[in-house]
Amino acid sequence: MAAQGTPKIELRGVKKRFGDKVVLDGVDLKIGAAESLVVIGGSGTGKSVMIKCVLGILRADEGKIFVDGEEVTRIGGRAREAMLKKFGMLFQGAALFDSLPVWENVAFGLIQGHGMNRRKAHDVAIEKLASVGLGPEVAMLSPSELSGGMQKRVGLARAIAADPQIIFFDEPTTGLDPIMADVINDLIVSTVKNLGVTTLSITHDMASARKISNRIAMLYKGKIIWDGPTADIDNSGNPYVDQFIHGRAVGPIKMEVRG
Amino acid sequence: MNILAPIGRVFLAFLAQTGALTRFMISAVTSCVRPPIYWGLIGQQMIRIGYFSLPVVGLTAFFTGGALALQIYVGSNRFGVESVVPNIVVLGITRELGPVIAGLMVAGRVAAAIAAEIGTMRVTEQIDALTTLSTNPIKYLVVPRLIAAVVTLPVLVIVADAIGVFGGYVVATESLGLNGPIYLKNTVDFVTHDDVISGVIKIAVFGFIIALLGCYNGFHSKGGAQGVGAATTYAVVSSSILILAANYFLTSILFGN
């Protein structure tokens, strides 16, 4: 655990562009230890790009990214793999490996990343599946045999399998029915509480954002335009935030049909 | 000026692609010698790339050998030198048709399968997921396919050579009335190690091309189903063209003076 005061993750002036399109235009963000931050923002505002820059899947063009006070903006190879051992990630479409059975998906990071033997990793996988409400009978199934909600659960089990310190959630409730979405929200809340981890989530589902966060930041046009406790979101005094959380078509945010 | 602009754009795009492919190749080849090496995955890919290609390659080799015998018989018959049929069949199969036909068939089968599989993994974020699980996608996905293709295709081509020669033998003895034992004796006496080895070298290079382009196109596929479809097409077309081009240069290196 980082000492109080050192942010778990920090972004300083992070910029990223694809061709002529500027996606991140100087993002500044700090996430403290054991904090649950949700970044909200419309589709295509660069939320996914931001977390991919932190993970090193994409490389930031400018700016610096720190994890536990250490700069990780440009590290690669082994150093990056070591850094990623602190992380768990739940992808939007769960991104389960369809060539492997459910249990091996959950145990993947343990076997490949941490070099645990398969028998032991299998037991851990069964345990993690149980903690997201799935019985051992799904362990041998293929991911394609599962419903969307179950895939998300397996994705969550995989994200927490190696006991990470930081978990990223990319649109955890997108594509689920409202009840299953709430089940996943509850799971995230209880998991985070039990593990005491730091989380960064991105979503445009406000119900989910309110439930799983203690702080919310809004990304608009590549910058963080508002950042505050979840309880203050309704009194932000920011017309952009107001428009977004109430889902109004009329307001300062104009939908760009073509980026 | 307006006429030149698109030409320049295409040229720049071509250079960018070539550069990206070269970088991808270097990173794939250097990853082959750095641990961890996933032996289990290499074995799995050897079965999928080599073993499962056997029926397709065997059938095409059989018919190619048969057609070759027929053509050479028709040609040599005019000069009354039908006895050269076995010699030319074995030479044509081992040096040229065996590796090229096998290479093209495997390009259609394997490059397409690799590009579709890796492309789907790309668009469903499975490759990103590998990265977040501290696993290098190049080592996990590309290296096993590359090694498996380069190692198993030479074995495949030796089998294909034998089946092709057998195809020629069947047609020559059953339909053209040549003497079986003499045909076999001529074949064995005429073929040299160098003929077979040249074919093996060729197919090893083709295997590298097939696996590399399948993986490269899959890795760089964009969008959804359409992007994966396009990646699959590029993989097959580009690997087939490169195989034929490489075949020419290899032939001129191996047999030219």
Side-chain angles (χ1 to χ4, degrees):
Chain A
M1 277 285 158
Q4 200 68 31
T6 309
K8 201 77 186 153
I9 300 171
E10 184 177 358
L11 288 85
R12 279 191 214 154
V14 172
K15 293 188 182 180
K16 178 76 190 172
R17 60 164 71 209
F18 294 103
D20 297 333
K21 189 173 162 53
V22 177
V23 180
L24 300 180
D25 191 16
V27 172
D28 294 298
L29 197 62
K30 281 182 191 175
I31 307 162
E35 198 168 27
S36 289
L37 176 72
V38 166
V39 174
I40 56 172
S43 306
T45 48
K47 304 186 301 289
S48 291
V49 171
M50 184 184 75
I51 58 172
K52 282 181 180 169
C53 283
V54 177
L55 293 169
I57 294 169
L58 294 172
R59 197 149 283 193
D61 298 330
E62 277 177 55
K64 289 182 171 163
I65 298 165
F66 299 85
V67 173
D68 282 332
E70 283 173 45
E71 191 180 343
V72 298
T73 326
R74 280 175 215 294
I75 61 169
R78 299 266 150 109
R80 173 70 66 186
E81 281 172 25
M83 177 209 103
L84 286 167
K85 285 183 185 160
K86 294 180 185 172
F87 286 82
M89 165 100 188
L90 175 58
F91 286 86
Q92 188 173 348
L96 301 176
F97 306 125
D98 37 32
S99 56
L100 300 175
V102 164
W103 80 263
E104 238 181 300
N105 265 281
V106 177
F108 193 91
L110 297 171
I111 298 171
Q112 306 296 349
H114 292 73
M116 188 185 278
N117 78 51
R118 290 172 65 86
R119 187 181 293 267
K120 195 163 170 228
H122 177 266
D123 295 344
V124 177
I126 299 292
E127 193 186 300
K128 298 291 177 184
L129 283 169
S131 74
V132 297
L134 293 172
E137 68 280 359
V138 300
M140 286 312 291
L141 296 178
S142 152
S144 59
E145 294 174 82
L146 305 179
S147 68
M150 280 166 93
Q151 288 188 359
K152 278 272 161 82
R153 287 181 193 223
V154 175
L156 180 59
R158 185 174 71 180
I160 62 172
D163 297 322
Q165 302 166 21
I166 304 162
I167 307 178
F168 285 180
F169 298 101
D170 182 0
E171 310 270 4
T173 55
T174 300
L176 301 178
D177 68 72
I179 298 169
M180 186 50 85
D182 204 48
V183 170
I184 295 289
N185 285 335
D186 283 340
L187 257 178
I188 290 175
V189 171
S190 63
T191 311
V192 168
K193 211 170 167 187
N194 293 339
L195 300 176
V197 293
T198 308
T199 69
L200 169 61
S201 318
I202 56 179
T203 186
H204 46 232
D205 172 0
M206 281 314 298
S208 169
R210 287 169 195 274
K211 196 155 187 176
I212 65 177
S213 69
N214 52 33
R215 204 179 117 209
I216 293 181
M218 177 154 171
L219 191 62
Y220 180 67
K221 292 215 164 162
K223 287 192 172 100
I224 300 290
I225 57 160
W226 187 82
D227 184 349
T230 304
D232 294 351
I233 188 85
D234 291 311
N235 309 307
S236 65
N238 184 315
Y240 293 89
V241 175
D242 272 345
Q243 186 193 349
F244 188 85
I245 63 174
H246 294 110
R248 297 192 198 106
V250 182
I253 304 175
K254 300 281 178 275
M255 275 294 147
E256 286 178 30
V257 178
R258 280 204 60 81
Chain B
M1 287 307 273
N2 283 342
I3 307 166
L4 291 177
I7 299 174
R9 240 194 321 273
V10 169
F11 184 65
L12 287 178
F14 173 75
L15 287 185
Q17 279 286 325
T18 312
L21 178 61
T22 309
R23 278 184 60 180
F24 187 81
M25 183 178 81
I26 291 169
S27 113
V29 170
T30 51
S31 297
C32 285
V33 290
R34 278 196 218 136
I37 306 283
Y38 299 101
W39 297 107
L41 291 176
I42 293 175
Q44 213 178 321
Q45 290 301 330
M46 284 170 98
I47 290 171
R48 283 170 65 177
I49 294 174
Y51 185 69
F52 289 150
S53 296
L54 200 52
V56 179
V57 171
L59 270 175
T60 45
F62 182 84
F63 287 116
T64 307
L68 194 60
L70 217 52
Q71 287 281 18
I72 295 163
Y73 180 80
V74 172
S76 57
N77 198 20
R78 291 184 202 158
F79 309 103
V81 285
E82 298 91 340
S83 59
V84 300
V85 171
N87 308 15
I88 302 182
V89 166
V90 73
L91 212 65
I93 291 282
T94 52
R95 286 186 171 193
E96 214 40 54
L97 288 166
V100 172
I101 298 268
L104 290 177
M105 292 313 290
V106 175
R109 217 191 135 263
V110 173
I114 292 176
E117 188 180 2
I118 295 185
T120 306
M121 291 186 74
R122 163 63 73 201
V123 301
T124 55
E125 296 187 305
Q126 290 180 49
I127 294 182
D128 292 343
L130 279 175
T131 308
T132 63
L133 294 165
S134 297
T135 303
N136 182 334
I138 300 272
K139 281 182 193 157
Y140 190 79
L141 295 172
V142 180
V143 168
R145 286 167 173 80
L146 217 49
I147 292 179
V150 172
V151 171
T152 55
L153 291 198
V155 180
L156 191 68
V157 89
I158 289 172
V159 178
D161 285 349
I163 295 175
V165 168
F166 176 68
Y169 169 83
V170 170
V171 170
T173 53
E174 297 299 316
S175 136
L176 305 175
L178 295 185
N179 180 301
I182 294 175
Y183 187 102
L184 283 183
K185 187 176 180 302
N186 279 352
T187 301
V188 175
D189 286 350
F190 193 70
V191 71
T192 64
H193 281 107
D194 288 354
D195 297 325
V196 178
I197 293 197
S198 71
V200 165
I201 293 171
K202 279 182 176 181
I203 195 94
V205 174
F206 301 165
F208 183 82
I209 290 172
I210 290 166
L212 184 76
L213 286 167
C215 292
Y216 172 79
N217 284 291
F219 249 78
H220 292 85
S221 56
K222 290 193 187 79
Q226 207 178 8
V228 176
T232 310
T233 309
Y234 291 143
V236 176
V237 172
S238 59
S239 59
S240 303
I241 292 171
L242 258 183
I243 282 173
L244 293 173
N247 181 53
Y248 170 76
F249 288 111
L250 285 169
T251 306
S252 70
I253 292 167
L254 291 167
F255 300 106
N257 294 314

